[in-house]
Amino acid sequence: MGNITKVSPLAPSGFPDLPVIEGVQFATIAAGVKYQGRTDVMLAQMAPGTAIAGVFTRSQTRAAPVLDCQTKIGQKSDEGAAILVNSGNANAFTGRRGIEAVEAITACVAKVCDLPQSRVFTSSTGVIGEPLPFERVTSVIEDAKSGLDAGHIAQAARAIMTTDTYAKGACATVNVGGKTVSIAGIAKGSGMIAPDMATMLVYIFTDALVDQDALQAMVSADADRTFNCITVDSDTSTSDSLIVAATGASGVDASSDSTFRDALHGVMQDLAFQVVRDGEGATKFVEISVTGAATDADAKLHAMAIANSPLVKTAIAGQDPNWGRIVMAIGKSGAAADRDRLSIRFGDVEVAKDGWRSPSYSEEDAAAHMKGEEIQITVDIGIGSGASTVWTCDLTHGYIEINADYRS
């Protein structure tokens, strides 16, 4: 863990050139929480008046930092704010010691950065069930504070990585009322990905002025359409956190602007896709679209049943157009379906129609589609108008190798 050197074949060509977001500064530092020879703590400090919104895992075994953030999100304040993230240890399933660690870290950041403790948000990512050596974190916060710089967001993206093979960033610049507004975000995530809120650890910053309630509404809605529609391995993390900070430094009110909202959605979608593309051991990026379901919710159940099926995912890894496994996944999803109305496509190749193999089906054409890095699977249930699209990756030997050695 922390020594992964082989970059995902689905990775982008490089880290994007993210715009500087006025009103926020970043610093990274090595605390030796678990890793040696790399930064593992990220500090972000935001200007007074910054609005903070967030969504978090609904896991019943949520980590102490998540529970602390949930009590603070939604509290309006004109004060500044800070986010402190450590990698290498999730501070999850750590009982009272986990709570004490969060208290110590947030108190230290509050003192060093001259902020109310209620405006300090923390996240931890890494191994579950091991006490967080929080003293290693608190001992470097002064030094981190002195290194704050508005241009260090790329370094921040690298500091929060665990089994990630590349740092993840996305951005957008839009015109709101004749003025420019910028958005920049970073994320970490590779395994234990089946979000039930937002996903993994994601931090997005904008210089737009956005009312806290409006910002929270945007974030909650867009999380459902982006991060909550991806899966790598069907496992929901104890630590999933998405925090969005609007500093207001541009002076441009985007609280009700549709262009801004679309741009924020785009950044979230980009980061969500990058997480899937960095799925542990992934070699294929897979889009699964379900139409014709009884409801949108049923369509998503069907889509996720396909996306999370080990049999489907291994067939994709083997470049096998095994449409019988799609039929199996639909049947087990729990959502309404009619066997005799199902239609299935792999890319442009019609595989099955009205509950039977399509008369025009070509195994050769379907197999050719499965050889690509990007796979499209489309299913029409044939009983209604419900629709949903989700994204996943294949399941390879690489996933086993990474997770078999995760704690060693």
Side-chain angles (χ1 to χ4, degrees):
M1 181 180 173
N3 296 313
I4 294 172
T5 57
K6 186 178 180 181
V7 177
S8 168
L10 306 176
S13 59
F15 192 82
D17 184 15
L18 302 184
V20 169
I21 304 298
E22 296 298 330
V24 59
Q25 295 181 308
F26 305 90
T28 62
I29 198 164
V33 173
K34 179 178 176 67
Y35 309 123
Q36 299 300 316
R38 56 155 284 190
T39 56
D40 58 357
V41 169
M42 180 276 278
L43 174 66
Q45 184 168 354
M46 285 76 74
T50 296
I52 307 286
V55 285
F56 304 89
T57 180
R58 288 190 285 258
S59 165
Q60 295 302 304
T61 53
R62 293 190 293 281
V66 172
L67 294 172
D68 183 65
C69 283
Q70 286 181 305
T71 66
K72 295 173 178 176
I73 287 290
Q75 298 179 20
K76 295 184 180 181
S77 172
D78 291 329
E79 300 279 359
I83 300 170
L84 189 289
V85 185
N86 76 267
S87 56
N89 183 302
N91 193 20
F93 200 60
T94 46
R96 178 161 294 282
R97 292 182 68 176
I99 297 171
E100 291 170 351
V102 171
E103 174 67 22
I105 292 170
T106 56
C108 184
V109 173
K111 180 180 179 181
V112 170
C113 296
D114 192 24
L115 296 169
Q117 195 168 349
S118 62
R119 292 280 282 175
V120 178
F121 303 88
T122 66
S123 302
S124 297
T125 179
V127 174
I128 294 170
E130 296 182 4
L132 173 65
F134 66 85
E135 299 90 347
R136 298 180 190 178
V137 178
T138 55
S139 69
V140 301
I141 291 175
E142 281 274 12
D143 288 340
K145 164 71 174 175
S146 66
L148 285 169
D149 189 296
H152 284 178
I153 191 169
Q155 292 91 322
R158 288 190 286 272
I160 64 176
M161 291 166 54
T162 52
T163 60
D164 305 62
T165 70
Y166 62 90
K168 301 168 181 67
C171 63
T173 301
V174 295
N175 186 293
V176 178
K179 296 182 179 180
T180 299
V181 166
S182 297
I183 306 170
I186 58 175
K188 67 81 49 184
S190 185
M192 201 181 288
I193 306 297
D196 186 17
M197 42 56 74
T199 186
M200 299 62 64
L201 300 183
V202 183
Y203 308 98
I204 299 174
F205 307 90
T206 176
D207 56 9
L209 179 65
V210 187
D211 174 76
Q212 199 279 329
D213 290 339
L215 186 64
Q216 185 62 58
M218 290 182 202
V219 171
S220 296
D222 284 344
D224 278 341
R225 297 191 294 140
T226 57
F227 294 113
N228 278 347
C229 287
I230 66 171
T231 180
V232 167
D233 49 22
S234 82
D235 288 329
T236 295
S237 172
T238 60
S239 304
D240 289 345
S241 300
L242 161 63
I243 296 176
V244 180
T247 69
S250 68
V252 180
D253 191 341
S255 300
S256 58
D257 186 85
S258 60
T259 303
F260 172 80
R261 173 159 189 170
D262 289 346
L264 178 61
H265 175 268
V267 170
M268 292 170 69
Q269 187 77 284
D270 190 335
L271 292 172
F273 284 3
Q274 288 191 53
V275 169
V276 174
R277 291 180 180 279
D278 202 19
E280 290 170 344
T283 66
K284 310 276 189 184
F285 178 81
V286 186
E287 179 178 274
I288 299 167
S289 295
V290 174
T291 59
T295 64
D296 289 348
D298 272 11
K300 187 172 182 180
L301 282 174
H302 286 308
M304 281 296 189
I306 298 167
N308 283 325
S309 166
L311 288 175
V312 171
K313 291 161 76 72
T314 50
I316 293 170
Q319 303 182 355
D320 177 12
N322 191 337
W323 52 272
R325 294 183 178 180
I326 307 298
V327 175
M328 173 278 299
I330 291 293
K332 73 165 187 175
S333 74
D338 184 333
R339 179 197 62 193
D340 297 329
R341 295 187 181 184
L342 288 181
S343 297
I344 302 169
R345 286 181 176 271
F346 290 156
D348 293 331
V349 181
E350 186 176 72
V351 176
K353 183 175 178 61
D354 296 329
W356 192 249
R357 187 175 67 178
S358 173
S360 64
Y361 175 62
S362 165
E363 179 84 5
E364 183 180 357
D365 290 346
H369 179 71
M370 302 304 285
K371 286 181 168 59
E373 286 190 346
E374 300 198 356
I375 308 298
Q376 291 83 41
I377 298 173
T378 304
V379 178
D380 189 82
I381 307 299
I383 62 173
S385 59
S388 179
T389 300
V390 305
W391 297 270
T392 189
C393 58
D394 54 345
L395 179 60
T396 70
H397 290 291
Y399 182 87
I400 298 170
E401 292 166 359
I402 291 168
N403 286 285
D405 298 331
Y406 184 69
R407 294 204 304 161
S408 58

